Amino acid sequence: YLLCDGANSRLLDETPLVSKEQKALKKGSRKYKMAHQEWGAKVIIQLDEKTVEDRFNLMPGDGVANEMVLGFLPKGIRAGGFMYSNKDTVSLGVMLAMESAWRREFYFRDALDQFVRHPYIQPFVRGGEEVEYATHWAPIGGINWMPELYDDRLLVGGDTAQMLLSTGLNIEGMNYAIKSGLLAGATFADAWRAGKNFSGAALASYERRLWNCFVLQDLAQFRNIDHITGNPRLFYDYPRLIESVFSKIVWPTGQPKK
């Protein structure tokens, strides 16, 4: 079996693959859920192909992707946003750190609504129709909170295995889920050909395969990135500082510049 049922896997909790420390935290502390998870929400805005090309200054067949720090949200809220063009739609979304939001009763829909209505975003989607809305619970514990990846007849991949990378500049996980699924399939195929031996020892090659590709190498490289992205100043104080500095540089006030 391949456990790949999302960040809040109930199946994983019933296996021996979760460490004792993780089990203790998950049973006894709501802080665990908040500290290592993000809420994601996305809307798709329908326009038309020509409008998308004109508003994003694109040539036919081209596209653009933007990722942003949402520094305009209330102080203490850590969130990022993304906007990318599709053929005749625009995708807008936010990722919101649960730990920063739940005590303030601030939710992903609040962040998404403010993002969509922001004066920088509105010119790109004005007059469009919201045709799709989706949410996603994303794990950000990374390799430090990764469960054991194999046991007798079991492999773990995707979000269930904490295979998501959020560096502050980008967030990616679909590629890790796809790659882990492909490697899990190859591992099971090898076990079948070796006499249908699905023991943990026989399936251990799955983890070796993950280390031999970008999946675990990426997650190991950025294993402590939360020491940077968890800094609340990054999402509130620094954006305001940058805005203040550049406003003083480029805005004509009639006074000598300093």
Side-chain angles (χ1 to χ4, degrees), residues 65-77:
N66 298 275
E67 297 200 11
M68 311 161 195
V69 171
L70 303 189
F72 58 86
L73 297 177
K75 188 171 184 178
I77 301 297

Side-chain angles (χ1 to χ4, degrees), residues 159-176:
D159 282 359
T160 307
Q162 299 280 327
M163 292 178 182
L164 184 141
L165 180 62
S166 181
T167 67
L169 295 175
N170 70 311
I171 183 167
E172 53 186 294
M174 188 179 298
N175 52 339
Y176 300 129

Side-chain angles (χ1 to χ4, degrees), residues 55-107:
R55 291 184 180 180
F56 286 91
N57 195 27
L58 298 172
M59 296 296 290
D62 287 347
V64 66
N66 298 275
E67 297 200 11
M68 311 161 195
V69 171
L70 303 189
F72 58 86
L73 297 177
K75 188 171 184 178
I77 301 297
R78 303 198 311 272
F82 59 86
M83 173 175 65
Y84 53 87
S85 65
N86 306 304
K87 185 175 181 180
D88 56 1
T89 62
V90 175
S91 295
L92 296 171
V94 298
M95 296 297 296
L96 176 66
M98 288 188 186
E99 187 181 26
S100 73
W102 74 277
R103 292 184 185 278
R104 299 170 177 83
E105 296 186 353
F106 190 88
Y107 300 101

